[in-house]
Amino acid sequence: MGEKILIIGGVAAGPKAACRVKRLMPDALVTIIDIDSLISYGGCGIPYYVSGDVSDEKELRSTSFHAVRDEAFFNDAKGVSMLTRTRALAINRQAKTVQVENLDTGEKQDLPYDKLVLATGSSPNRLRIPGADLQGVYVVNDMHRAMAIKNDLAHGKVDKAVVIGGGAIGIEMAEALADLWDIETTVLEYMDQLLPRIVDPPFAAMLEKHLQDNSVNVYTGESATAIEADDTGRVCRVVTPQRTIETNLVIMSVGVRPRGDLAQEAGLLVSPHGSIVVNSRMQTSDPDIYAAGDCTETVNLISGAKNHTPMGSLANRQGRIVADNIAGIPSRFDGWVGSFIMKAFECCIAGTGMSLTAARADDFDAEVAITAQSDRAHFFPTQAVIMLQMVFDKTSRRVLGFQGFGPMNDSILARINAAAALIAKGATIDDFSNLEMAYAPPFSTALDALNATANVADNLAAGRLRTISIEDYLAWMKASPASRPDWVTLDIRHPKEAAEFVNVFSEDLWKAIPYVEIRARYSELPDDKTLVIICDAGTRSSEVQIFLDSVGRTNNLVLGGGFNAIRRIGPDWWPS
Amino acid sequence: MGEKILIIGGVAAGPKAACRVKRLMPDALVTIIDIDSLISYGGCGIPYYVSGDVSDEKELRSTSFHAVRDEAFFNDAKGVSMLTRTRALAINRQAKTVQVENLDTGEKQDLPYDKLVLATGSSPNRLRIPGADLQGVYVVNDMHRAMAIKNDLAHGKVDKAVVIGGGAIGIEMAEALADLWDIETTVLEYMDQLLPRIVDPPFAAMLEKHLQDNSVNVYTGESATAIEADDTGRVCRVVTPQRTIETNLVIMSVGVRPRGDLAQEAGLLVSPHGSIVVNSRMQTSDPDIYAAGDCTETVNLISGAKNHTPMGSLANRQGRIVADNIAGIPSRFDGWVGSFIMKAFECCIAGTGMSLTAARADDFDAEVAITAQSDRAHFFPTQAVIMLQMVFDKTSRRVLGFQGFGPMNDSILARINAAAALIAKGATIDDFSNLEMAYAPPFSTALDALNATANVADNLAAGRLRTISIEDYLAWMKASPASRPDWVTLDIRHPKEAAEFVNVFSEDLWKAIPYVEIRARYSELPDDKTLVIICDAGTRSSEVQIFLDSVGRTNNLVLGGGFNAIRRIGPDWWPS
């Protein structure tokens, strides 16, 4: 008679642990219980189901060979018992049983275990504002809600939508609504940027512009204070301090919290935020009880802090590690760096490690190198410019994070994954400079965009490059000339490109001398002003800075990312 | 008066070192000499110029902002003197001068240096066979030859071509000729696979089939023994021991050798293969002379051996390191792992680190995990299957290499770059299992294909999975039933998929029981035969192996990569 392995939770970590345990210990009696009738679905696919890219919800619950992962599949193919519509009521650690209730019959029973796995996941937050429970207001955390939303859409109930929350899921949902269903969609984010804490302001601004270019209204720094209903009781508007937005659908995507209640009631160690505390083997404070996925907190490999990180990718890795340890294979989850990637219409935004904001909040001596580089050989027909940013510690030269924004293909993924690998290994700027990215003209450049970004960071860290941030530059330009009469932009692009800007801003603020003529013409530059040197990407500007320094004109700064950055951010007062 | 920095070689490493030196030491007098009139071109772009993807050769010599990198550009924009059509005759290390000759005027002079950089590159090999120098026989190593080839094409001189050499450049040239110019093209490779030593036989076989599917003839294990001319003296056929091939163009792409002569004549340390010996600062045996790029040999980070690695990506990194050291910034090139990537029509093939063949030749206890995985969520519309392979050392669990084959986008790049980063850091299978690849359905799967490949390697290394190689399986099937009457294939795919194979091979050799029915029907299997379990990818087969083992039927092996691998290799006797 095999060991009894009981698993609470039938999505991601739970099924992963169950199937791996069964493979490692074929004699084990493995049972999964889940409160829902639909289990083992790809939750991250919900926006693509809502949009219609995925036509049938069953596809989100299928294997790659098109078998639906239902109770029969787990039983027949995996040898795992799956009890759905079954709620875990309490863990009895002395008796090693879990009391469960069948939600259809009301019948209760005690299920015995030798090892117990908690994969209880997370619950979506709901704002405590009037109307948060109205008909037509949804959180997006399970298949039933996804199906209800799609049903509303398919029945023509929706022509305007408001998404509360500018995180990844909110933005993916906004795209689904606006792009495929042609719904007038508004995103509200109470922080002052999209993807707060995940990416830094310039990258959030590029994303925001791209959403706006695709007819999504975005209001940051703006909270929903009330949701109101029409006569039928269905949602009809969202109120903020700034405006009232008509709508017939509200998606509330304002984060999740770990489901640690069951663990806490059983006396297991739970963090102040409600996450189940585990060691590197994903073992709780009771050695016979493991936990994995959204209900746990694990170590950030960069800061060393423990955090709740609700991500499907981590849940799957942790589920496997739980199974290994149950089967006696010593296996550890050492921590996470926080890789993420997201499609937004025709663009891709991604990051790994810490943002500059997060790194500085954590007392790193953090600085940032931002570049605009070709994703592949500039002469290859499909070439595009991608924006990359490295966050690094100036003292230790350790790389803390990496962000990317580019077209909707895998070019950003190719840099983010490599960065994640190095950051997890505690790599320095030099490791990034010399990382041997694969090169052929259809895929990359001889010195890859990632390497080039590291080289800019190297120059910054060594004090060989002085930059001005995009935020500071835009703030100055917006306020000019009154607030900063002592600054002038030096535009070193082709005179044809610069002419329009000289016109708009005047020669006092905007001086145009092409890159190749600087060595001959630098004496034309005012010597009583700080020059902000600007080109397309920042590369030529860096060279010009070095030259100007060498002739004693040291009062200059480079705008990293150059026009490529500003064009993607697109301030409305900027010449088009 | 600044230091005199003299650089021999005006492509890749040379210009990189020159421009970086000038940025670090603005007072330095930096001079590049090059034997050619065309300099600082992207040599790896030549196939795309020949194909017509790149219309003008100037594009290969331009910056990303469309400035042509000619003598004037280096002088005006970079502050670097560029002497073209200038040959270096001899280095006088005592006097610290280089004697040079102007190829147009015949004038000779001695150029003084404080620091000298050798970036002399490599020379293309030419087979020593009759006719190797005929008109219409080209090596591909500089812009003049590239322009001559394109001229032949544009003037309609070519309707058939033979490429001698099945390495990356040969295959890229074959595609350029066949795809864009519709020329009947044949590739000859004297080793028994394409990309020998770079990728392993199954990946070479997938590439070979894809070339053949695109009307390129490929003959491996076949050498050109003579090249013959027509009455006009132009090439008209290539002779091999097996056949005579009519042609009016021959591309000879049979490797390169380092140009170390000048260094050797100056008494610098040069390897037996002719590479200039450098330390990790890219310094030769004379501390005032540096070398970088194709003319050097550097350390393989996996094997520790020193090798000549002629790659533009390494040359650029090394050029930067030379400049740093000249400027007093301690900077090291620790070594390389050998990342490569290549487009072939609608496919991409790539690798990093060592192949299984190379690793075994180097006495590693090497084994291989091959998988067929979705590049992105299987429910996402653009999903495709990619083939990945991990080479690892069974004893140390260190990952030695990684290969990929997939569609022509950046999905393979995204895995190879991450693998290169980890391999360079001496990572183990476990590091790959837990690497936090960025996840969202449009880009990847919750457990990325790279992670999944590592998990297969983990099971193999731990003895929890027993596989048969694709080569062994195909050899057996081709010879069956006579040679191996004691083996039988167990096809666990859907009965509709299996039916055709049961028909062709008979029930004796091909037993079909679907995956979900194995637990109920395993007693139908013959117990006196070795079962080769086969599914689409190998994943389900692994589960079936575990189950069969658990019921005592341990005489079974899994075919890693499954039908996805075999279909891409496409043996001609295989049911279509």
Side-chain angles (χ1 to χ4, degrees):
Chain A
M1 186 75 172
E3 266 197 273
K4 289 188 262 313
I5 313 297
L6 183 60
I7 293 167
I8 304 177
V11 179
K16 184 78 193 173
C19 296
R20 171 96 175 150
V21 161
K22 190 68 189 172
R23 288 196 291 271
L24 295 173
M25 305 162 62
D27 290 341
L29 299 171
V30 182
T31 304
I32 304 178
I33 68 170
D34 196 283
I35 201 168
D36 202 342
S37 57
L38 302 177
I39 39 98
S40 199
Y41 53 81
C44 301
I46 287 177
Y48 307 96
Y49 164 69
V50 169
S51 74
D53 277 333
V54 176
S55 56
D56 188 330
E57 60 84 20
K58 283 197 181 65
E59 293 178 53
L60 296 189
R61 300 190 286 126
S62 296
T63 68
S64 57
F65 48 92
H66 309 298
V68 176
R69 289 188 299 257
D70 56 12
E71 295 88 333
F73 173 80
F74 277 96
N75 192 71
D76 299 347
K78 302 287 187 178
V80 167
S81 300
M82 173 69 80
L83 307 178
T84 57
R85 298 274 300 152
T86 300
R87 184 197 300 272
L89 299 174
I91 303 166
N92 183 333
R93 288 167 55 196
Q94 284 64 46
K96 296 184 83 169
T97 57
V98 175
Q99 189 188 34
V100 303
E101 176 186 10
N102 181 311
L103 295 181
D104 294 320
T105 64
E107 191 189 346
K108 292 181 184 173
Q109 60 171 317
D110 289 325
L111 297 179
Y113 68 81
D114 293 305
K115 301 282 187 232
L116 176 64
V117 180
L118 303 176
T120 44
S122 54
S123 307
N125 293 327
R126 227 176 232 280
L127 293 182
R128 294 179 186 195
I129 57 173
D133 293 314
L134 283 174
Q135 197 191 331
V137 179
Y138 294 97
V139 292
V140 190
N141 71 315
D142 66 22
M143 287 310 302
H144 301 284
R145 265 100 165 212
M147 288 155 75
I149 294 169
K150 196 158 178 178
N151 195 51
D152 279 4
L153 297 170
H155 286 82
K157 291 189 187 166
V158 183
D159 61 0
K160 292 188 180 67
V162 173
V163 176
I164 303 177
I169 296 171
I171 296 167
E172 287 170 345
M173 288 301 293
E175 177 183 352
L177 298 168
D179 196 30
L180 276 295
W181 293 92
D182 207 20
I183 289 166
E184 189 182 324
T185 304
T186 300
V187 175
L188 291 179
E189 167 57 49
Y190 88 105
M191 300 278 281
D192 59 4
Q193 65 164 78
L194 295 174
L195 299 176
R197 288 180 299 266
I198 311 273
V199 300
D200 287 304
F203 284 76
M206 294 180 216
L207 173 62
E208 182 173 335
K209 177 175 190 309
H210 188 64
L211 293 178
Q212 287 165 339
D213 288 346
N214 283 278
S215 305
V216 174
N217 304 310
V218 180
Y219 303 118
T220 56
E222 189 166 332
S223 306
T225 49
I227 304 176
E228 298 175 357
D230 62 17
D231 296 345
T232 72
R234 190 180 172 89
V235 62
C236 74
R237 68 186 77 87
V238 172
V239 181
T240 81
Q242 286 83 0
R243 75 199 84 225
T244 296
I245 308 164
E246 303 216 346
T247 188
N248 22 52
L249 177 73
V250 173
I251 308 282
M252 207 176 271
S253 177
V254 291
V256 297
R257 56 186 187 282
R259 283 200 183 106
D261 299 1
L262 200 66
Q264 190 157 32
E265 288 158 13
L268 298 176
L269 208 56
V270 167
S271 82
H273 303 292
S275 303
I276 304 173
V277 173
V278 290
N279 62 19
S280 67
R281 300 204 170 174
M282 306 306 295
Q283 208 166 24
T284 69
S285 51
D286 179 332
D288 290 325
I289 306 181
Y290 291 80
D294 284 14
C295 60
T296 64
E297 61 168 30
T298 46
V299 176
N300 180 308
L301 284 171
I302 307 158
S303 70
K306 279 202 155 192
N307 284 103
H308 172 231
T309 49
M311 293 175 75
S313 50
L314 295 179
N316 274 280
R317 286 156 176 73
Q318 292 168 356
R320 189 176 196 269
I321 286 165
V322 164
D324 280 2
N325 284 298
I326 287 177
I329 301 168
S331 190
R332 292 189 316 178
F333 183 79
D334 289 326
W336 53 275
V337 293
S339 300
F340 99 97
I341 190 162
M342 203 186 85
K343 173 184 186 293
F345 295 94
E346 295 313 309
C347 281
C348 163
I349 186 167
T352 186
M354 299 177 102
S355 64
L356 180 65
T357 320
R360 285 184 171 163
D362 221 9
D363 285 335
F364 284 98
D365 183 21
E367 193 43 84
V368 77
I370 183 167
T371 64
Q373 301 276 330
S374 288
D375 60 349
R376 57 206 84 230
H378 65 82
F379 51 76
F380 198 78
T382 57
Q383 178 269 350
V385 169
I386 56 177
M387 304 299 304
L388 296 180
Q389 174 178 277
M390 175 182 281
V391 183
F392 58 94
D393 184 275
K394 277 185 284 187
T395 313
S396 66
R397 294 174 64 89
R398 182 173 175 192
V399 178
L400 306 172
F402 205 85
Q403 291 163 45
F405 182 87
M408 178 47 216
N409 55 37
D410 295 344
S411 60
I412 297 295
L413 183 74
R415 277 79 194 186
I416 291 296
N417 283 342
L422 284 182
I423 289 171
K425 287 281 177 191
T428 64
I429 294 170
D430 310 279
D431 292 313
F432 275 73
S433 285
N434 290 314
L435 175 58
E436 203 178 320
M437 307 287 278
Y439 167 54
F443 303 94
S444 52
T445 50
L447 199 71
D448 189 82
L450 176 142
N451 304 123
T453 307
N455 290 347
V456 172
D458 172 46
N459 288 331
L460 275 168
R464 288 191 296 269
L465 172 64
R466 302 180 308 279
T467 56
I468 179 174
S469 76
I470 294 166
E471 299 96 299
D472 285 351
Y473 178 71
L474 289 180
W476 165 58
M477 283 301 293
K478 191 172 181 181
S480 284
S483 74
R484 279 282 200 173
D486 53 340
W487 288 29
V488 62
T489 298
L490 168 59
D491 186 339
I492 61 168
R493 297 173 307 150
H494 194 280
K496 282 187 194 159
E497 297 172 295
E500 174 183 12
F501 290 80
V502 177
N503 264 343
V504 171
F505 294 112
S506 90
E507 280 242 31
D508 285 346
L509 279 179
W510 202 277
K511 184 80 189 162
I513 300 181
Y515 164 67
V516 291
E517 297 177 17
I518 285 287
R519 284 168 196 271
R521 293 178 52 194
Y522 71 90
S523 60
E524 297 173 27
L525 293 168
D527 58 5
D528 59 339
K529 309 238 177 175
T530 298
L531 297 170
V532 177
I533 315 169
I534 182 166
C535 58
D536 274 322
T539 319
R540 286 176 290 171
S541 299
S542 311
E543 294 180 33
V544 167
Q545 176 171 78
I546 289 165
F547 172 74
L548 290 177
D549 286 358
S550 76
V551 294
R553 298 295 192 95
T554 57
N555 51 347
N556 66 77
L557 297 168
V558 166
L559 185 80
F563 265 81
N564 269 298
I566 296 181
R567 223 178 276 126
R568 281 167 178 73
I569 291 169
D572 51 15
W573 47 270
W574 192 256
S576 64
Chain B
M1 183 81 171
E3 266 195 276
K4 289 187 263 312
I5 314 296
L6 182 60
I7 294 168
I8 305 177
V11 179
K16 184 78 195 174
C19 296
R20 171 94 176 151
V21 161
K22 190 69 189 170
R23 288 194 291 270
L24 295 172
M25 304 161 63
D27 290 340
L29 300 172
V30 182
T31 304
I32 304 178
I33 67 168
D34 196 282
I35 200 168
D36 202 342
S37 58
L38 303 176
I39 40 97
S40 200
Y41 52 82
C44 301
I46 287 178
Y48 307 96
Y49 164 69
V50 169
S51 74
D53 278 333
V54 176
S55 56
D56 189 329
E57 59 85 22
K58 283 197 181 64
E59 293 178 54
L60 297 190
R61 300 190 287 126
S62 296
T63 69
S64 58
F65 48 92
H66 309 297
V68 176
R69 291 189 298 259
D70 55 14
E71 295 89 332
F73 173 80
F74 277 96
N75 192 72
D76 299 347
K78 302 288 186 178
V80 168
S81 300
M82 173 69 79
L83 308 178
T84 57
R85 298 274 299 153
T86 301
R87 185 198 300 272
L89 299 174
I91 304 166
N92 184 334
R93 289 166 55 196
Q94 282 65 44
K96 296 184 85 170
T97 58
V98 175
Q99 188 187 33
V100 303
E101 176 186 12
N102 180 312
L103 295 182
D104 295 320
T105 64
E107 190 189 348
K108 291 181 185 174
Q109 62 172 317
D110 289 325
L111 298 178
Y113 68 81
D114 293 304
K115 302 281 186 232
L116 176 65
V117 180
L118 303 176
T120 44
S122 53
S123 309
N125 293 327
R126 227 176 233 277
L127 293 183
R128 294 179 186 194
I129 57 173
D133 293 316
L134 284 173
Q135 196 193 332
V137 179
Y138 293 97
V139 292
V140 190
N141 71 313
D142 67 22
M143 286 311 299
H144 301 284
R145 265 101 166 212
M147 288 155 75
I149 294 170
K150 196 160 179 178
N151 196 51
D152 279 3
L153 296 170
H155 286 82
K157 291 189 187 167
V158 183
D159 61 1
K160 293 188 180 67
V162 173
V163 176
I164 303 177
I169 297 171
I171 296 167
E172 287 170 345
M173 288 301 293
E175 177 183 350
L177 297 169
D179 196 30
L180 275 295
W181 293 93
D182 207 19
I183 287 166
E184 189 182 324
T185 303
T186 300
V187 175
L188 291 179
E189 168 55 50
Y190 88 106
M191 300 279 280
D192 58 3
Q193 64 164 80
L194 295 173
L195 300 176
R197 290 179 298 265
I198 312 271
V199 301
D200 288 304
F203 284 76
M206 293 180 218
L207 174 62
E208 182 173 335
K209 178 175 189 309
H210 188 65
L211 293 178
Q212 288 165 339
D213 288 348
N214 283 279
S215 305
V216 174
N217 304 310
V218 180
Y219 302 118
T220 57
E222 190 166 331
S223 306
T225 50
I227 304 176
E228 298 175 358
D230 61 16
D231 297 345
T232 71
R234 190 178 173 89
V235 61
C236 73
R237 67 185 77 89
V238 172
V239 181
T240 81
Q242 286 85 359
R243 77 201 81 225
T244 297
I245 308 164
E246 304 214 347
T247 188
N248 22 51
L249 177 73
V250 172
I251 307 283
M252 208 177 271
S253 176
V254 291
V256 297
R257 56 184 189 283
R259 281 200 184 107
D261 299 0
L262 199 66
Q264 191 158 33
E265 287 158 13
L268 298 176
L269 208 57
V270 167
S271 82
H273 303 294
S275 303
I276 303 173
V277 173
V278 290
N279 63 19
S280 66
R281 299 205 172 172
M282 304 307 295
Q283 209 167 23
T284 69
S285 50
D286 180 333
D288 289 325
I289 306 180
Y290 292 80
D294 285 13
C295 59
T296 64
E297 61 168 31
T298 46
V299 176
N300 179 308
L301 285 171
I302 307 157
S303 72
K306 280 201 156 192
N307 285 102
H308 172 231
T309 48
M311 294 176 74
S313 49
L314 296 179
N316 274 281
R317 286 156 178 73
Q318 292 167 358
R320 188 176 197 271
I321 286 165
V322 164
D324 280 3
N325 284 297
I326 287 176
I329 301 168
S331 191
R332 292 187 318 175
F333 183 78
D334 288 326
W336 52 276
V337 293
S339 300
F340 99 99
I341 191 162
M342 205 186 84
K343 171 184 188 296
F345 295 95
E346 295 314 309
C347 281
C348 163
I349 186 167
T352 186
M354 299 178 102
S355 64
L356 180 65
T357 321
R360 285 185 172 164
D362 222 9
D363 286 335
F364 284 99
D365 183 21
E367 192 45 84
V368 76
I370 183 167
T371 64
Q373 303 274 330
S374 288
D375 60 349
R376 56 206 84 229
H378 65 83
F379 51 76
F380 199 76
T382 56
Q383 176 269 348
V385 169
I386 55 176
M387 305 299 305
L388 295 180
Q389 174 178 279
M390 174 181 282
V391 182
F392 58 94
D393 184 275
K394 277 185 285 186
T395 314
S396 66
R397 293 174 65 90
R398 183 172 174 193
V399 178
L400 306 173
F402 206 84
Q403 292 163 45
F405 182 88
M408 180 45 217
N409 55 37
D410 295 344
S411 60
I412 297 295
L413 184 73
R415 279 78 196 187
I416 291 296
N417 283 343
L422 285 182
I423 289 171
K425 287 282 177 192
T428 63
I429 294 170
D430 309 280
D431 292 312
F432 275 73
S433 284
N434 291 314
L435 175 57
E436 203 178 319
M437 307 287 278
Y439 168 53
F443 303 95
S444 52
T445 51
L447 198 70
D448 189 81
L450 176 142
N451 304 123
T453 306
N455 290 347
V456 172
D458 173 44
N459 288 330
L460 274 168
R464 288 191 296 269
L465 172 63
R466 302 180 308 279
T467 55
I468 181 175
S469 75
I470 294 166
E471 299 97 299
D472 285 350
Y473 179 71
L474 290 180
W476 165 59
M477 283 302 291
K478 192 173 181 181
S480 283
S483 74
R484 279 283 199 173
D486 54 338
W487 287 29
V488 62
T489 299
L490 168 59
D491 186 338
I492 60 169
R493 297 173 306 150
H494 194 280
K496 281 185 194 161
E497 297 172 293
E500 176 184 10
F501 289 79
V502 177
N503 265 344
V504 170
F505 293 112
S506 89
E507 281 244 28
D508 284 347
L509 280 179
W510 202 277
K511 183 78 190 165
I513 299 180
Y515 164 68
V516 290
E517 296 177 18
I518 285 285
R519 283 167 195 272
R521 291 178 53 194
Y522 71 90
S523 59
E524 295 173 28
L525 294 169
D527 58 5
D528 58 340
K529 310 238 176 176
T530 299
L531 297 170
V532 177
I533 315 169
I534 182 166
C535 59
D536 275 322
T539 318
R540 286 176 289 171
S541 299
S542 310
E543 293 182 32
V544 168
Q545 176 172 77
I546 289 165
F547 172 72
L548 291 176
D549 286 358
S550 77
V551 295
R553 299 294 191 95
T554 56
N555 51 346
N556 68 76
L557 297 168
V558 165
L559 185 80
F563 265 81
N564 270 299
I566 296 182
R567 223 178 276 126
R568 282 168 177 73
I569 291 170
D572 49 19
W573 47 270
W574 191 257
S576 65

